[in-house]
């Protein structure tokens, strides 16, 4: 099974399980051609799974590069993960690098907690 096929299978499973609308909750990445779950969809998943976040911690700031540590916990199971959210002028074109780093970190943490991150 190719990476695209694995990802399509995972996206369908996420859409079915969490009631996500493919047209609204996924977007096509220009570079890879892959369909990516949106931040809004990940926040829907976090709410449904009872996932909470600790206050992000600055890990590294050397503008224009931002790196923050995100910790997330699934309330029901007590399972907790930490990961980093990064943003730089090479991978972010908006004027909000801190917000982008936070979004990326939260998305990674949620997908890790539901065992979906490894699919890309």
């Amino acid at each position: 099974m190719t990476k695209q096929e694995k990802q399509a299978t995972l996206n369908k499973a996420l859409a079915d399980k969490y009631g996500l609308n493919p047209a609204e909750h996924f977007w096509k990445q220009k570079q890879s051609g892959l369909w990516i779950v949106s931040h809004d969809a990940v926040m829907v998943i976090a709410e449904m799974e009872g996932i909470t976040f600790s206050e992000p911690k600055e890990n590294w700031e050397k503008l224009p590069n931002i790196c923050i540590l995100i910790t997330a916990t699934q309330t029901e199971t007590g399972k907790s993960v930490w990961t980093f959210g990064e943003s730089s002028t090479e991978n972010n074109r908006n004027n909000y690098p801190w917000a982008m780093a936070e979004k990326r970190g939260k998305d990674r943490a949620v997908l890790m907690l539901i065992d979906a991150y490894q699919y890309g």
Side-chain angles (χ1 to χ4, degrees):
M1 188 180 280
T2 68
K3 182 175 183 173
Q4 287 83 358
E5 291 169 331
K6 286 179 186 176
Q7 188 187 41
T9 300
L10 174 64
N11 286 348
K12 181 169 179 3
L14 291 175
D16 291 346
K17 182 174 182 177
Y18 298 104
L20 304 176
N21 178 339
E24 182 182 339
H25 291 116
F26 297 87
W27 58 278
K28 191 171 187 176
Q29 184 184 47
K30 291 178 186 174
Q31 299 93 322
S32 68
L34 297 174
W35 286 92
I36 309 295
V37 64
S38 72
H39 175 70
D40 289 345
V42 174
M43 292 299 98
V44 167
I45 294 167
E47 180 72 24
M48 292 179 76
E49 290 287 346
I51 294 172
T52 59
F53 302 94
S54 300
E55 184 176 336
K57 295 182 181 161
E58 176 185 321
N59 183 265
W60 177 46
E61 175 195 358
K62 185 176 178 190
L63 290 173
N65 302 309
I66 304 294
C67 182
I68 58 176
L69 178 66
I70 299 286
T71 303
T73 303
Q74 194 169 24
T75 308
E76 187 177 309
T77 65
K79 182 178 175 183
S80 185
V81 298
W82 60 266
T83 189
F84 294 100
E86 305 94 2
S87 178
S88 76
T89 53
E90 292 187 19
N91 64 25
N92 176 40
R93 288 173 180 66
N94 70 38
N95 291 325
Y96 310 101
W98 285 99
M100 184 57 72
E102 178 186 359
K103 286 170 63 171
R104 289 174 176 171
K106 284 183 171 181
D107 290 354
R108 288 177 184 151
V110 169
L111 295 174
M112 290 166 74
L113 281 171
I114 65 166
D115 297 322
Y117 187 73
Q118 68 271 20
Y119 296 103

